[in-house]
């Protein structure tokens, strides 16, 4: 976005004079140069991996077709295998304990069972839901799409490396604002059109790359600023603190819900892939034996005052609670009946309770923000302890989720994907033109740092 400094853009600072336009320009130019020097390779990395991730679902369906797709039953209305049979087949193929179950999102898709092995590893087992036949295994979140996502955030390499992404986002914001200042036309519009709205010269000339960098920058800069800001919630330091603050001030998690429920102490994100706003919240805890009756009475009292807590009167949950022995967790087939009645968006995931105070959790994280939903079920009664959707988030939570949804290419369908693809190509062009411009401008044997202001 920068344009090389020339004497026509301000000249030299007069001795003893106050701060001049020339010295400000030189200072901004140096900041822009150093910011670009620091993050240019990272911006190219983020743009390339980000463009690939926009199409991660299509990539996975092609690369892992043998695991993710199954034949559609020939006979309409054919009953699939029981959910318990799908889990049993997965555990027979990969011994351990299951921690995640994702029924098929549509006909022709496989079911996925997350299994924690005796060694503590997490494995994804893919099963044909029609006959409970195991199709194969991968490491949990081991598809090519998830690998691209971890490469994009540098999570693949560890927390220290992820800090570089946070640094790149911060410096990218500085790049945009300093670049805008350097691009801003000075003098008459006709005289400053080159490098503002038009590109002069040929690729053999430095002025061509300078103008290409400036014109591309003003178009791409707004998108780059948006991506930098909406990407910050995933960062190591800023993102963690922002999430903690949002949930601690009722901007993300609705006020009054957590304190009205017993808590398990189990972080929700340990078990499910969730919206950013909910990743630091805890799972509610199932009522203990001695408190089940008191909790039921307390829940009845709160029914009219808390729309997030649903009590399932007349449901399978009540009959199961009545007929089952005390403190006996519901089986998966009964739980799935309850979850299906809640009508979560296809592609939802169910997580089992962790310990005696744990809960069954059903979560849906589809492209449509309005359908985001997390439901916690008491493992003994099947009663939903909490039912939360996007509309229940606080204002900051809703804004952040909306920005993240666009960042992921999910908000406006194909248009969102094409927009992000064009933006990523523009970022690469911006970085390449800036590097070429610098290489052509730098003195032989030197770095070519812009001159110090007076």
């Amino acid at each position: 976005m920068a344009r090389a400094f020339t004497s026509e853009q301000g000249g030299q600072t007069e001795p003893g004079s106050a701060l001049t336009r020339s010295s400000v320009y030189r200072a901004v130019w140096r900041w822009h140069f150093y910011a670009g020097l620091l993050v240019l390779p990272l911006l190219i990395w983020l743009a390339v991996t980000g463009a690939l991730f926009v199409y991660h679902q299509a990539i996975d369906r092609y690369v892992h077709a043998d695991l993710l797709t199954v034949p559609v039953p020939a006979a309409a209305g054919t009953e699939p295998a029981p959910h318990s049979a799908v889990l049993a087949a997965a555990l027979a193929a990969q011994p351990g304990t299951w921690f995640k179950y994702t029924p098929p999102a549509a006909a022709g898709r496989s079911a996925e069972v997350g299994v924690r092995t005796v060694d503590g590893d997490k494995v994804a087992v893919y099963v044909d839901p029609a006959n409970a036949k195991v199709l194969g295994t991968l490491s949990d979140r081991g598809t090519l799409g998830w690998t691209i996502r971890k490469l994009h955030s540098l999570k693949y390499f560890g927390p220290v490396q992820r800090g570089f992404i946070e640094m790149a986002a911060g410096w990218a914001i500085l790049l945009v604002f300093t670049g805008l200042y350097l691009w801003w036309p000075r003098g008459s519009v006709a005289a400053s059109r080159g490098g503002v709205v038009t590109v002069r010269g040929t690729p053999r000339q430095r002025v061509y790359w300078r103008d290409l960098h400036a014109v591309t920058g003003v178009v791409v800069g707004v998108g780059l600023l948006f991506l930098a800001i909406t990407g910050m919630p995933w960062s190591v330091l800023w993102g963690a603190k922002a999430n903690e603050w949002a949930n601690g001030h009722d901007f993300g998690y609705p006020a009054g819900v957590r304190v009205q429920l017993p808590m398990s102490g189990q972080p929700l994100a340990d078990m499910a892939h969730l919206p950013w706003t909910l990743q630091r919240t805890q799972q509610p805890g199932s009522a203990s034996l001695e408190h089940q009756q008191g909790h039921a009475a307390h829940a009845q009292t709160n029914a009219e005052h808390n729309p997030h807590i649903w009590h399932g009167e007349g449901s399978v949950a009540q009959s199961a609670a009545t007929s089952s022995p005390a403190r006996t967790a519901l089986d998966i087939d009964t739980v799935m009946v309850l979850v299906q009645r809640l009508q979560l968006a296809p592609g939802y995931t169910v997580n089992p309770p962790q310990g005696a105070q744990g809960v069954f959790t059903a979560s849906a994280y589809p492209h449509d923000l309005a359908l985001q939903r997390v439901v916690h079920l008491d493992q003994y009664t099947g009663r939903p302890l909490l039912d939360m959707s996007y509309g229940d988030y606080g204002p900051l939570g809703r804004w952040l989720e909306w920005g993240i949804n666009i960042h992921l290419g999910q908000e406006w369908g194909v248009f969102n994907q094409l927009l992000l693809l064009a933006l990523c190509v523009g970022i690469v062009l911006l970085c390449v033109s800036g590097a070429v411009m610098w290489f052509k401008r730098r003195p032989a044997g030197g770095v070519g740092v812009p001159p110090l202001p007076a």
Side-chain angles (χ1 to χ4, degrees):
M1 213 182 284
R3 295 161 60 196
F5 175 81
T6 62
S7 58
E8 289 80 8
Q9 291 169 321
Q12 300 295 324
T13 304
E14 297 179 3
S17 66
L19 188 66
T20 65
R21 181 179 300 178
S22 171
S23 59
V24 171
Y25 186 94
R26 286 175 182 268
V28 173
W29 186 17
R30 281 176 67 89
W31 275 108
H32 189 78
F33 174 83
Y34 280 119
L37 196 66
L38 283 170
V39 303
L40 186 146
L42 283 173
L43 286 181
I44 294 178
W45 175 269
L46 288 171
V48 172
T49 55
L52 289 173
F53 183 74
V54 167
Y55 296 98
H56 71 282
Q57 290 183 331
I59 292 173
D60 278 347
R61 284 196 296 269
Y62 177 78
V63 175
H64 305 290
D66 57 329
L67 299 177
L68 301 181
T69 59
V70 296
V72 178
T78 302
E79 287 294 326
H83 299 286
S84 55
V86 172
L87 291 179
L91 293 173
Q94 182 62 67
T97 56
W98 73 278
F99 67 91
K100 177 176 64 176
Y101 174 46
T102 305
R109 304 285 181 84
S110 63
E112 178 184 344
V113 181
V115 177
R116 184 179 286 104
T117 67
V118 292
D119 297 327
D121 297 327
K122 291 183 177 180
V123 178
V125 182
Y126 298 89
V127 184
D128 188 334
N131 52 24
K133 177 183 177 181
V134 174
L135 305 174
T137 63
L138 286 174
S139 60
D140 184 48
R141 297 184 178 181
T143 64
L144 182 56
W146 271 106
T147 301
I148 292 171
R149 178 165 182 166
K150 287 185 285 188
L151 287 171
H152 179 71
S153 65
L154 295 187
K155 188 176 182 179
Y156 199 83
F157 305 102
V160 175
Q161 289 77 4
R162 288 184 66 196
F164 287 107
I165 294 296
E166 187 167 359
M167 179 194 75
W171 282 98
I173 294 172
L174 179 66
L175 272 174
V176 171
F177 285 111
T178 55
L180 179 63
Y181 177 85
L182 298 174
W183 166 86
W184 195 262
R186 292 160 177 82
S188 65
V189 175
S192 61
R193 184 171 296 154
V196 176
V197 294
T198 62
V199 178
R200 299 167 294 181
T202 66
R204 296 178 62 87
Q205 299 174 294
R206 182 174 63 86
V207 69
Y208 172 87
W209 295 98
R210 185 190 70 184
D211 289 0
L212 180 63
H213 184 73
V215 174
T216 303
V218 76
V219 175
V220 172
V222 175
L224 177 58
L225 181 65
F226 178 83
L227 290 179
I229 293 174
T230 55
M232 290 293 272
W234 287 296
S235 61
V236 176
L237 298 177
W238 188 95
K241 291 301 180 182
N243 199 313
E244 181 181 345
W245 179 79
N247 282 285
H249 292 79
D250 300 327
F251 289 106
Y253 212 79
V257 175
R258 285 187 289 179
V259 296
Q260 294 177 358
L261 299 171
M263 302 305 294
S264 66
Q266 178 72 34
L268 198 55
D270 284 359
M271 304 307 301
H273 176 53
L274 297 167
W276 177 88
T277 311
L278 297 180
Q279 287 181 357
R280 292 189 174 272
T281 60
Q282 296 182 23
Q283 294 182 8
S286 294
S288 61
L289 176 62
E290 57 271 20
H291 290 130
Q292 282 182 14
Q293 293 182 342
H295 177 70
H298 178 66
Q300 182 66 33
T301 303
N302 285 337
E304 298 179 359
H305 303 287
N306 195 332
H308 307 296
I309 301 177
W310 178 80
H311 304 286
E313 295 181 4
S315 68
V316 177
Q318 282 194 325
S319 60
T322 302
S323 59
S324 301
R327 297 187 65 79
T328 299
L330 300 178
D331 63 84
I332 186 61
D333 291 320
T334 301
V335 171
M336 291 304 297
V337 171
L338 297 173
V339 171
Q340 288 165 0
R341 289 185 178 183
L342 293 170
Q343 298 183 336
L344 275 74
Y348 63 83
T349 293
V350 175
N351 306 103
Q354 301 296 301
Q357 294 297 311
V359 295
F360 284 100
T361 296
S363 56
Y365 191 35
H367 290 185
D368 187 349
L369 287 175
L371 298 179
Q372 286 188 6
R373 196 170 168 195
V374 177
V375 182
H376 301 302
L377 303 173
D378 188 295
Q379 66 169 304
Y380 305 112
T381 66
R383 178 186 297 113
L385 302 173
L386 182 144
D387 187 344
M388 180 178 297
S389 63
Y390 176 77
D392 300 319
Y393 304 163
L396 177 61
R398 287 196 297 270
W399 184 87
L400 286 168
E401 288 298 331
W402 178 80
I404 289 171
N405 219 38
I406 296 175
H407 190 110
L408 294 173
Q410 300 177 168
E411 183 66 16
W412 304 311
V414 175
F415 172 75
N416 200 161
Q417 293 176 325
L418 293 176
L419 180 64
L420 286 178
L421 180 62
L423 184 56
C424 289
V425 172
I427 291 173
V428 172
L429 178 60
L430 187 65
C431 294
V432 171
S433 61
V436 173
M437 176 182 66
W438 163 76
F439 185 82
K440 286 180 172 293
R441 176 190 150 276
R442 68 182 179 88
V447 180
V449 180
L452 277 168

